Amino acid sequence: QRLHRIKMSGGAAARQAAARQGRRIRPTRQGVVNFSNEELTSLAVTIRRIKPLNSEEWNQVLDAHNQDFESCNRTVDSLRRKFNNIRRKRAPSGDPRQPAHIRLMKKAFQEIGDRAHL
């Protein structure tokens, strides 16, 4: 008998190993593209321009974002989640420099807060 080995991606191999050990792992989403620095900077500029406070305004952010990055297939929830995760980031100790998109997101958050407290 001749055995043939099938080459698997790292994810498939990890799922099989977890199954053999009786563990469950979270399935991965197919076709999702990571945010690029260019996309994050554009998103930050869009959020600063619109300063969304409600779901209708977040839909405006999505529409504006999708005009430039239509192929990325983002949702309102993914944009809000990314914005909130980035604005919470702390500056690295010992290095005062931050990427532009992080600075812009933090400024956008501050401006949204100022708008909300009118």
Side-chain angles (χ1 to χ4, degrees):
Q1 248 183 13
R2 198 173 166 157
L3 297 175
H4 295 282
R5 291 199 153 208
I6 300 171
K7 187 174 180 179
M8 292 184 282
S9 67
R15 281 191 293 282
Q16 277 194 346
R20 282 193 300 272
Q21 296 171 2
R23 293 182 297 140
R24 295 183 65 191
I25 62 172
R26 189 175 57 191
T28 59
R29 289 177 50 195
Q30 297 293 322
V32 176
V33 178
N34 289 336
F35 284 86
S36 67
N37 284 338
E38 178 186 3
E39 183 182 5
L40 290 172
T41 301
S42 174
L43 176 61
V45 168
T46 302
I47 290 172
R48 281 192 75 191
R49 182 171 45 83
I50 296 174
K51 297 175 185 58
L53 291 176
N54 56 39
S55 60
E56 184 179 308
E57 291 171 346
W58 274 103
N59 282 323
Q60 292 174 11
V61 170
L62 177 66
D63 293 341
H65 183 74
N66 281 341
Q67 287 177 354
D68 295 328
F69 297 94
E70 185 177 359
S71 64
C72 294
N73 237 3
R74 306 289 183 210
T75 64
V76 170
D77 288 338
S78 70
L79 296 180
R80 285 180 80 162
R81 190 170 36 254
K82 182 54 94 171
F83 169 70
N84 285 316
N85 286 338
I86 288 177
R87 67 142 178 108
R88 286 188 198 111
K89 283 188 185 260
R90 301 184 83 155
S93 61
D95 186 5
R97 295 173 295 173
Q98 278 186 330
H101 65 271
I102 294 177
R103 277 194 317 275
L104 289 169
M105 295 258 190
K106 287 179 179 287
K107 286 180 185 174
F109 179 70
Q110 193 172 28
E111 292 170 359
I112 290 169
D114 292 345
R115 179 179 171 221
H117 297 297
L118 289 176

